[in-house]
Amino acid sequence: MRKKLAIAGTAVVAVVLLSGFAFRGGHRWGRDPERIRQMVSWKLNDKLDDLDATDAQRQAINAVKDRLFDEGAKLAEEQHAVRSEVVTQLESATPDAQRLHALVDERIEAMRAFAHKATDAALEVHGTLTPEQRKALATEFRERTGVK
């Protein structure tokens, strides 16, 4: 059991400290927040087209997207600063273990808070859509993910 917890803990630390949020450089648009915003907006508006969303729905849902994106961008900026501090600590002859553990805890809490905001945003969007639109999204999700 301890071994499984240690492996899970190591995985969490690796993801939190090394991966960042959405601004990693693996994609052509990966380092430019405005390009990411454009891509997210394009995909969202394409989906809203598929759902025949009204102008009011589009406005409300895009406002949720903008708010959540801004919070995610802030989280990514904070993550970049933390990675710099981690590297500095690990370059030191005597890294501050207490500080490194505190950084892990801070990042986990920041990501937890963001995940709750994302959940609230999903619930807000859910309330904006009609039952038919929600059913269409659920059906598509089930087909794409294999969820029964």
Short mmCIF file of all heavy atoms in Angstrom, two decimals, residues 96-136:
data_model
loop_
_atom_site.label_atom_id
_atom_site.label_comp_id
_atom_site.label_asym_id
_atom_site.label_seq_id
_atom_site.Cartn_x
_atom_site.Cartn_y
_atom_site.Cartn_z
N ASP A 96 16.09 23.02 -0.03
CA ASP A 96 15.21 23.16 1.12
C ASP A 96 14.01 22.23 0.93
O ASP A 96 13.05 22.56 0.23
CB ASP A 96 14.76 24.62 1.23
CG ASP A 96 13.88 24.90 2.44
OD1 ASP A 96 13.39 23.94 3.06
OD2 ASP A 96 13.71 26.09 2.75
N ALA A 97 14.09 21.07 1.56
CA ALA A 97 13.03 20.06 1.41
C ALA A 97 11.68 20.60 1.87
O ALA A 97 10.66 20.36 1.23
CB ALA A 97 13.39 18.80 2.20
N GLN A 98 11.68 21.34 2.96
CA GLN A 98 10.43 21.89 3.47
C GLN A 98 9.81 22.83 2.45
O GLN A 98 8.60 22.81 2.21
CB GLN A 98 10.69 22.62 4.79
CG GLN A 98 9.42 23.07 5.48
CD GLN A 98 9.70 23.66 6.87
OE1 GLN A 98 10.83 23.69 7.32
NE2 GLN A 98 8.66 24.14 7.50
N ARG A 99 10.63 23.66 1.80
CA ARG A 99 10.11 24.59 0.78
C ARG A 99 9.58 23.83 -0.43
O ARG A 99 8.53 24.16 -0.97
CB ARG A 99 11.21 25.58 0.36
CG ARG A 99 10.77 26.55 -0.71
CD ARG A 99 9.65 27.45 -0.23
NE ARG A 99 9.17 28.27 -1.31
CZ ARG A 99 7.89 28.59 -1.51
NH1 ARG A 99 6.97 28.19 -0.66
NH2 ARG A 99 7.54 29.33 -2.52
N LEU A 100 10.30 22.80 -0.86
CA LEU A 100 9.85 22.02 -2.01
C LEU A 100 8.51 21.34 -1.71
O LEU A 100 7.61 21.34 -2.56
CB LEU A 100 10.90 20.99 -2.42
CG LEU A 100 12.13 21.58 -3.09
CD1 LEU A 100 13.23 20.53 -3.22
CD2 LEU A 100 11.79 22.17 -4.45
N HIS A 101 8.36 20.79 -0.53
CA HIS A 101 7.08 20.17 -0.16
C HIS A 101 5.98 21.22 -0.07
O HIS A 101 4.84 20.96 -0.48
CB HIS A 101 7.22 19.42 1.17
CG HIS A 101 7.96 18.13 1.03
ND1 HIS A 101 7.41 16.99 0.52
CD2 HIS A 101 9.25 17.82 1.33
CE1 HIS A 101 8.30 16.03 0.51
NE2 HIS A 101 9.45 16.51 1.00
N ALA A 102 6.30 22.39 0.42
CA ALA A 102 5.32 23.47 0.48
C ALA A 102 4.87 23.88 -0.92
O ALA A 102 3.69 24.15 -1.16
CB ALA A 102 5.88 24.68 1.24
N LEU A 103 5.82 23.92 -1.86
CA LEU A 103 5.47 24.26 -3.25
C LEU A 103 4.51 23.22 -3.83
O LEU A 103 3.55 23.57 -4.53
CB LEU A 103 6.73 24.34 -4.12
CG LEU A 103 7.61 25.56 -3.89
CD1 LEU A 103 8.93 25.41 -4.65
CD2 LEU A 103 6.90 26.83 -4.31
N VAL A 104 4.77 21.95 -3.56
CA VAL A 104 3.88 20.89 -4.04
C VAL A 104 2.48 21.11 -3.47
O VAL A 104 1.49 21.07 -4.20
CB VAL A 104 4.42 19.50 -3.65
CG1 VAL A 104 3.36 18.42 -3.92
CG2 VAL A 104 5.70 19.19 -4.42
N ASP A 105 2.41 21.35 -2.16
CA ASP A 105 1.11 21.56 -1.53
C ASP A 105 0.39 22.77 -2.12
O ASP A 105 -0.81 22.72 -2.38
CB ASP A 105 1.27 21.74 -0.02
CG ASP A 105 1.72 20.45 0.68
OD1 ASP A 105 1.56 19.37 0.08
OD2 ASP A 105 2.22 20.56 1.81
N GLU A 106 1.13 23.86 -2.34
CA GLU A 106 0.53 25.07 -2.91
C GLU A 106 -0.02 24.80 -4.31
O GLU A 106 -1.12 25.26 -4.64
CB GLU A 106 1.57 26.19 -2.98
CG GLU A 106 1.96 26.76 -1.63
CD GLU A 106 3.19 27.66 -1.72
OE1 GLU A 106 3.60 28.05 -2.84
OE2 GLU A 106 3.75 27.98 -0.65
N ARG A 107 0.73 24.07 -5.13
CA ARG A 107 0.28 23.81 -6.50
C ARG A 107 -0.92 22.89 -6.51
O ARG A 107 -1.85 23.06 -7.29
CB ARG A 107 1.42 23.21 -7.36
CG ARG A 107 2.63 24.09 -7.55
CD ARG A 107 2.36 25.57 -7.79
NE ARG A 107 1.44 25.85 -8.86
CZ ARG A 107 0.62 26.90 -8.90
NH1 ARG A 107 0.62 27.80 -7.96
NH2 ARG A 107 -0.19 27.08 -9.92
N ILE A 108 -0.90 21.88 -5.63
CA ILE A 108 -2.06 20.98 -5.56
C ILE A 108 -3.30 21.76 -5.16
O ILE A 108 -4.37 21.59 -5.77
CB ILE A 108 -1.78 19.81 -4.59
CG1 ILE A 108 -0.77 18.86 -5.23
CG2 ILE A 108 -3.07 19.07 -4.23
CD1 ILE A 108 -0.24 17.78 -4.29
N GLU A 109 -3.18 22.63 -4.19
CA GLU A 109 -4.34 23.42 -3.76
C GLU A 109 -4.80 24.38 -4.85
O GLU A 109 -6.01 24.57 -5.05
CB GLU A 109 -4.03 24.17 -2.46
CG GLU A 109 -3.97 23.26 -1.25
CD GLU A 109 -5.22 22.38 -1.09
OE1 GLU A 109 -6.35 22.90 -1.21
OE2 GLU A 109 -5.05 21.18 -0.86
N ALA A 110 -3.85 24.98 -5.57
CA ALA A 110 -4.23 25.89 -6.66
C ALA A 110 -4.95 25.12 -7.77
O ALA A 110 -5.97 25.60 -8.30
CB ALA A 110 -2.98 26.59 -7.22
N MET A 111 -4.47 23.93 -8.09
CA MET A 111 -5.13 23.13 -9.13
C MET A 111 -6.47 22.62 -8.65
O MET A 111 -7.42 22.54 -9.43
CB MET A 111 -4.22 22.01 -9.58
CG MET A 111 -3.06 22.51 -10.38
SD MET A 111 -2.16 21.17 -11.13
CE MET A 111 -1.00 22.11 -12.13
N ARG A 112 -6.56 22.27 -7.37
CA ARG A 112 -7.84 21.83 -6.82
C ARG A 112 -8.86 22.97 -6.91
O ARG A 112 -10.01 22.76 -7.32
CB ARG A 112 -7.67 21.39 -5.36
CG ARG A 112 -8.97 20.91 -4.72
CD ARG A 112 -8.86 20.65 -3.21
NE ARG A 112 -7.60 20.14 -2.76
CZ ARG A 112 -7.26 18.84 -2.69
NH1 ARG A 112 -8.14 17.94 -3.06
NH2 ARG A 112 -6.07 18.48 -2.26
N ALA A 113 -8.46 24.16 -6.53
CA ALA A 113 -9.36 25.32 -6.60
C ALA A 113 -9.80 25.57 -8.05
O ALA A 113 -10.98 25.84 -8.31
CB ALA A 113 -8.68 26.56 -6.02
N PHE A 114 -8.86 25.46 -8.98
CA PHE A 114 -9.20 25.66 -10.39
C PHE A 114 -10.16 24.57 -10.88
O PHE A 114 -11.11 24.86 -11.61
CB PHE A 114 -7.94 25.68 -11.26
CG PHE A 114 -8.23 25.95 -12.71
CD1 PHE A 114 -8.55 27.23 -13.13
CD2 PHE A 114 -8.20 24.93 -13.64
CE1 PHE A 114 -8.84 27.49 -14.47
CE2 PHE A 114 -8.48 25.17 -14.97
CZ PHE A 114 -8.80 26.45 -15.39
N ALA A 115 -9.95 23.34 -10.46
CA ALA A 115 -10.84 22.24 -10.86
C ALA A 115 -12.26 22.50 -10.35
O ALA A 115 -13.24 22.23 -11.05
CB ALA A 115 -10.30 20.91 -10.34
N HIS A 116 -12.38 23.04 -9.15
CA HIS A 116 -13.71 23.36 -8.62
C HIS A 116 -14.35 24.51 -9.42
O HIS A 116 -15.56 24.48 -9.69
CB HIS A 116 -13.63 23.72 -7.13
CG HIS A 116 -13.48 22.52 -6.26
ND1 HIS A 116 -14.50 21.62 -6.02
CD2 HIS A 116 -12.41 22.06 -5.57
CE1 HIS A 116 -14.07 20.67 -5.23
NE2 HIS A 116 -12.80 20.90 -4.93
N LYS A 117 -13.54 25.49 -9.80
CA LYS A 117 -14.07 26.59 -10.64
C LYS A 117 -14.51 26.05 -12.00
O LYS A 117 -15.54 26.48 -12.54
CB LYS A 117 -13.03 27.68 -10.80
CG LYS A 117 -12.81 28.46 -9.53
CD LYS A 117 -11.70 29.48 -9.67
CE LYS A 117 -11.48 30.19 -8.34
NZ LYS A 117 -10.37 31.14 -8.40
N ALA A 118 -13.74 25.12 -12.55
CA ALA A 118 -14.11 24.52 -13.83
C ALA A 118 -15.41 23.73 -13.70
O ALA A 118 -16.26 23.77 -14.60
CB ALA A 118 -12.99 23.62 -14.34
N THR A 119 -15.59 23.05 -12.58
CA THR A 119 -16.83 22.33 -12.34
C THR A 119 -18.01 23.29 -12.23
O THR A 119 -19.07 23.07 -12.83
CB THR A 119 -16.72 21.48 -11.06
OG1 THR A 119 -15.65 20.55 -11.23
CG2 THR A 119 -18.01 20.74 -10.76
N ASP A 120 -17.82 24.38 -11.51
CA ASP A 120 -18.87 25.40 -11.40
C ASP A 120 -19.19 25.99 -12.78
O ASP A 120 -20.36 26.24 -13.10
CB ASP A 120 -18.46 26.51 -10.44
CG ASP A 120 -18.43 26.03 -8.99
OD1 ASP A 120 -19.06 25.01 -8.67
OD2 ASP A 120 -17.75 26.70 -8.18
N ALA A 121 -18.15 26.18 -13.60
CA ALA A 121 -18.37 26.71 -14.94
C ALA A 121 -19.17 25.71 -15.78
O ALA A 121 -20.08 26.11 -16.52
CB ALA A 121 -17.02 27.00 -15.61
N ALA A 122 -18.87 24.43 -15.66
CA ALA A 122 -19.63 23.41 -16.39
C ALA A 122 -21.09 23.41 -15.96
O ALA A 122 -21.99 23.29 -16.80
CB ALA A 122 -19.00 22.03 -16.17
N LEU A 123 -21.31 23.57 -14.67
CA LEU A 123 -22.69 23.63 -14.18
C LEU A 123 -23.41 24.89 -14.70
O LEU A 123 -24.60 24.85 -15.02
CB LEU A 123 -22.71 23.59 -12.65
CG LEU A 123 -22.28 22.26 -12.05
CD1 LEU A 123 -22.07 22.40 -10.55
CD2 LEU A 123 -23.28 21.17 -12.38
N GLU A 124 -22.68 25.99 -14.78
CA GLU A 124 -23.25 27.22 -15.31
C GLU A 124 -23.64 27.05 -16.78
O GLU A 124 -24.73 27.44 -17.21
CB GLU A 124 -22.25 28.36 -15.14
CG GLU A 124 -22.78 29.72 -15.47
CD GLU A 124 -21.75 30.82 -15.19
OE1 GLU A 124 -20.80 30.61 -14.42
OE2 GLU A 124 -21.94 31.91 -15.78
N VAL A 125 -22.76 26.42 -17.55
CA VAL A 125 -23.05 26.16 -18.96
C VAL A 125 -24.23 25.20 -19.07
O VAL A 125 -25.11 25.39 -19.91
CB VAL A 125 -21.80 25.62 -19.69
CG1 VAL A 125 -22.16 25.07 -21.07
CG2 VAL A 125 -20.75 26.71 -19.80
N HIS A 126 -24.25 24.19 -18.23
CA HIS A 126 -25.35 23.23 -18.22
C HIS A 126 -26.69 23.95 -18.07
O HIS A 126 -27.66 23.64 -18.78
CB HIS A 126 -25.15 22.24 -17.07
CG HIS A 126 -26.23 21.22 -16.94
ND1 HIS A 126 -27.38 21.43 -16.22
CD2 HIS A 126 -26.32 19.97 -17.43
CE1 HIS A 126 -28.14 20.37 -16.28
NE2 HIS A 126 -27.52 19.45 -17.01
N GLY A 127 -26.75 24.93 -17.17
CA GLY A 127 -27.98 25.68 -16.97
C GLY A 127 -28.34 26.59 -18.12
O GLY A 127 -29.49 26.99 -18.26
N THR A 128 -27.35 26.89 -18.96
CA THR A 128 -27.58 27.77 -20.11
C THR A 128 -28.16 27.00 -21.30
O THR A 128 -28.90 27.56 -22.11
CB THR A 128 -26.25 28.44 -20.53
OG1 THR A 128 -25.72 29.14 -19.41
CG2 THR A 128 -26.43 29.39 -21.69
N LEU A 129 -27.85 25.72 -21.38
CA LEU A 129 -28.28 24.91 -22.51
C LEU A 129 -29.69 24.36 -22.29
O LEU A 129 -30.12 24.16 -21.16
CB LEU A 129 -27.30 23.75 -22.72
CG LEU A 129 -25.87 24.13 -23.07
CD1 LEU A 129 -24.98 22.90 -23.09
CD2 LEU A 129 -25.81 24.88 -24.39
N THR A 130 -30.36 24.07 -23.39
CA THR A 130 -31.68 23.43 -23.32
C THR A 130 -31.49 21.93 -23.05
O THR A 130 -30.40 21.39 -23.28
CB THR A 130 -32.44 23.59 -24.65
OG1 THR A 130 -31.75 22.85 -25.67
CG2 THR A 130 -32.59 25.05 -25.06
N PRO A 131 -32.54 21.26 -22.60
CA PRO A 131 -32.43 19.81 -22.40
C PRO A 131 -32.00 19.07 -23.68
O PRO A 131 -31.20 18.13 -23.62
CB PRO A 131 -33.84 19.39 -21.97
CG PRO A 131 -34.40 20.62 -21.33
CD PRO A 131 -33.82 21.77 -22.12
N GLU A 132 -32.47 19.51 -24.82
CA GLU A 132 -32.10 18.87 -26.08
C GLU A 132 -30.61 19.06 -26.39
O GLU A 132 -29.94 18.14 -26.87
CB GLU A 132 -32.95 19.41 -27.25
CG GLU A 132 -34.43 19.09 -27.14
CD GLU A 132 -35.19 20.03 -26.18
OE1 GLU A 132 -34.69 21.14 -25.87
OE2 GLU A 132 -36.27 19.63 -25.73
N GLN A 133 -30.11 20.26 -26.13
CA GLN A 133 -28.69 20.53 -26.36
C GLN A 133 -27.82 19.71 -25.41
O GLN A 133 -26.79 19.16 -25.81
CB GLN A 133 -28.39 22.02 -26.20
CG GLN A 133 -28.99 22.88 -27.29
CD GLN A 133 -28.96 24.35 -26.95
OE1 GLN A 133 -29.12 24.75 -25.79
NE2 GLN A 133 -28.75 25.19 -27.97
N ARG A 134 -28.24 19.62 -24.15
CA ARG A 134 -27.49 18.82 -23.18
C ARG A 134 -27.47 17.35 -23.60
O ARG A 134 -26.44 16.68 -23.50
CB ARG A 134 -28.08 18.97 -21.78
CG ARG A 134 -27.87 20.35 -21.20
CD ARG A 134 -28.19 20.42 -19.72
NE ARG A 134 -29.56 20.09 -19.38
CZ ARG A 134 -30.51 20.99 -19.18
NH1 ARG A 134 -30.26 22.29 -19.28
NH2 ARG A 134 -31.74 20.62 -18.87
N LYS A 135 -28.61 16.86 -24.08
CA LYS A 135 -28.68 15.46 -24.53
C LYS A 135 -27.75 15.24 -25.71
O LYS A 135 -27.05 14.22 -25.77
CB LYS A 135 -30.12 15.09 -24.89
CG LYS A 135 -30.26 13.64 -25.27
CD LYS A 135 -31.70 13.27 -25.55
CE LYS A 135 -31.75 11.80 -25.92
NZ LYS A 135 -33.09 11.34 -26.22
N ALA A 136 -27.71 16.17 -26.64
CA ALA A 136 -26.83 16.03 -27.80
C ALA A 136 -25.37 15.99 -27.37
O ALA A 136 -24.58 15.17 -27.87
CB ALA A 136 -27.06 17.18 -28.79
#
